Amino acid sequence: MSVIVLVGTTKGAFLLRGGHGDWQLEGPLFKGWQVTAAGRSPHGRYVLSTASHVYGPALHVSEDLVDWRQVERPPSYGGAEGRRIDRYWTLAHTPHGLFAGVSEAGLFRAADPAGPWEPVAGLNDHPSRPMWQPGLGGLCAHVVVTHAERPSTIWCGISAVGVFRSDDAGTTWHPKNEGVLCALPDKTWKGIGFCVHGLAVDPRDPDVLYRQDHRGMYRSRDAGDSWQPNETGLPASFGFPMVVIPGSGTLLCFPIESDEFRLPPEGKMRVYRSTDGGSTWSPSSRGLPQTHAYATVLRGAMDTDGSDPCGVYFGTTSGTVHVSADEGVSWHSLPWLLPRILCVRAFRA
């Protein structure tokens, strides 16, 4: 199967075209710009976000990954006091439209990437909003996932606030963090102060969720109402990306050594896999460097292509890209050294 992998870096986007064994590199697109998120609509339209310390963030759309046009009316807080958008963290297509998660944290929604974009007021103006605090990476809404059987149920992860759930297609939202260790113990609003890093839904039972948090790895069996630790076999409970294989439900994560050190344990590049719903984890290192490997993987820099068998892709802070054609059992390191990788999105061509 032919696959396109979009790799967003601090200096532009690169395209990997090919199959699981033969790849061609194209780019950079948007040379010199940070490329922070990307997505594709069910109709095949691509959307990509850029950021600049000078010019700010922007959204761009394309039909073919060659010709791009900038969105003229992107998401905006419209002068809301003290709020401005400096980065897009996720562009997630759902049955209820395209969601853009941004920093300063908030959600916006549109039927089409070109707009019009509307703020998701129930979350952006949640009563707890005055008490929201940023994590080290800022105050960012960085992940949106939906329930496969009840599409009106939507979850959003915000750092360092926590997971929120809506059961009415995004009108009202409620924090769902019971059982998770708080990252900000001086919080002044019950249910917030949790720094969620990654969030995934089990495709076999969409009431089961998994989250990589600042203070551990967790699983929920009741759609997020409560959470329990599931760290057996992990060398560290800290990390950022988490993905789930659509067919088998296999989980993958990339543990790193604590919020203080942020390095792969023992200097070994290892993805950890769980085939039992997160109850146990085991390392997957075949084909990955196992000595003096100190690159890490950011929260948006791992993805799957949804094929069977499923391809898995991740990019590192050192600019390396790694590919698995067997659901993360073994890996192949591609022969290119890119800028620092911010996001990875895989699309079946």
Side-chain angles (χ1 to χ4, degrees):
M1 173 175 288
S2 180
V3 178
I4 300 170
V5 182
L6 189 150
V7 181
T9 79
T10 55
K11 296 295 182 180
F14 297 81
L15 300 178
L16 307 178
R17 295 182 185 266
H20 291 167
D22 182 21
W23 296 96
Q24 301 296 321
L25 179 68
E26 300 175 8
L29 309 173
F30 301 97
K31 185 177 181 179
W33 290 72
Q34 298 178 47
V35 175
T36 60
R40 185 173 68 177
S41 75
H43 305 296
R45 174 176 286 185
Y46 296 92
V47 57
L48 172 151
S49 64
T50 57
S52 164
H53 295 301
V54 177
Y55 301 106
L59 282 183
H60 312 265
V61 295
S62 174
E63 311 296 335
D64 56 9
L65 294 171
V66 176
D67 297 315
W68 295 85
R69 61 186 181 277
Q70 186 170 333
V71 174
E72 294 183 359
R73 294 185 178 181
S76 171
Y77 279 119
E81 184 176 356
R83 298 185 203 173
R84 71 182 185 90
I85 297 173
D86 59 23
R87 175 169 170 162
Y88 297 93
W89 282 87
T90 188
L91 297 165
H93 286 277
T94 77
H96 299 283
L98 172 64
F99 282 89
V102 305
S103 60
E104 180 177 343
L107 282 184
F108 295 80
R109 178 162 50 187
D112 183 272
W117 287 88
E118 299 293 337
V120 180
L123 183 64
N124 298 355
D125 301 320
H126 192 270
S128 65
R129 176 88 194 204
M131 279 67 73
W132 291 8
Q133 297 181 49
L136 184 62
L139 181 58
C140 52
H142 57 77
V143 60
V144 174
V145 294
T146 58
H147 196 290
E149 298 172 2
R150 299 192 306 273
S152 59
T153 296
I154 308 169
W155 297 270
C156 178
I158 302 176
S159 179
V161 185
V163 169
F164 286 77
R165 190 182 77 207
S166 172
D167 294 312
D168 53 15
T171 300
T172 60
W173 296 80
H174 305 280
K176 296 293 178 180
N177 302 289
E178 182 180 339
V180 179
L181 290 174
C182 188
L184 302 172
D186 295 329
K187 65 183 186 299
T188 56
W189 183 279
K190 180 177 174 58
I192 69 168
F194 303 85
C195 192
V196 56
H197 290 178
L199 188 65
V201 179
D202 193 320
R204 303 160 303 176
D205 182 352
D207 281 327
V208 176
L209 287 92
Y210 310 98
R211 70 190 272 178
Q212 169 70 72
D213 226 72
H214 192 98
R215 299 190 65 187
M217 185 77 76
Y218 296 88
R219 175 176 57 201
S220 171
R221 299 186 187 275
D222 51 17
D225 286 337
S226 62
W227 299 87
Q228 299 79 39
N230 63 328
E231 302 171 358
T232 301
L234 293 177
S237 61
F238 189 83
F240 286 95
M242 167 178 281
V243 299
V244 59
I245 302 297
S248 67
T250 297
L251 287 165
L252 296 100
C253 68
F254 193 96
I256 56 178
E257 185 183 353
S258 77
D259 59 350
E260 178 183 5
F261 298 112
R262 302 194 181 214
L263 294 170
E266 304 176 61
K268 298 180 179 181
M269 185 177 289
R270 293 175 293 190
V271 173
Y272 274 71
R273 302 174 75 247
S274 175
T275 58
D276 56 9
S279 295
T280 60
W281 298 84
S282 58
S284 172
S285 58
R286 190 190 315 166
L288 297 175
Q290 296 302 293
T291 57
H292 301 297
Y294 301 111
T296 59
V297 182
L298 302 181
R299 71 181 87 226
M302 181 181 287
D303 199 15
T304 68
D305 63 22
S307 55
D308 185 15
C310 189
V312 187
Y313 312 86
F314 72 89
T316 72
T317 52
S318 295
T320 58
V321 179
H322 308 271
V323 176
S324 172
D326 53 14
E327 302 194 351
V329 175
S330 61
W331 299 89
H332 174 62
S333 301
L334 299 184
W336 302 297
L337 187 61
L338 306 180
R340 178 182 174 93
I341 294 173
L342 305 177
C343 68
V344 171
R345 289 301 309 272
F347 309 105
R348 285 184 284 181

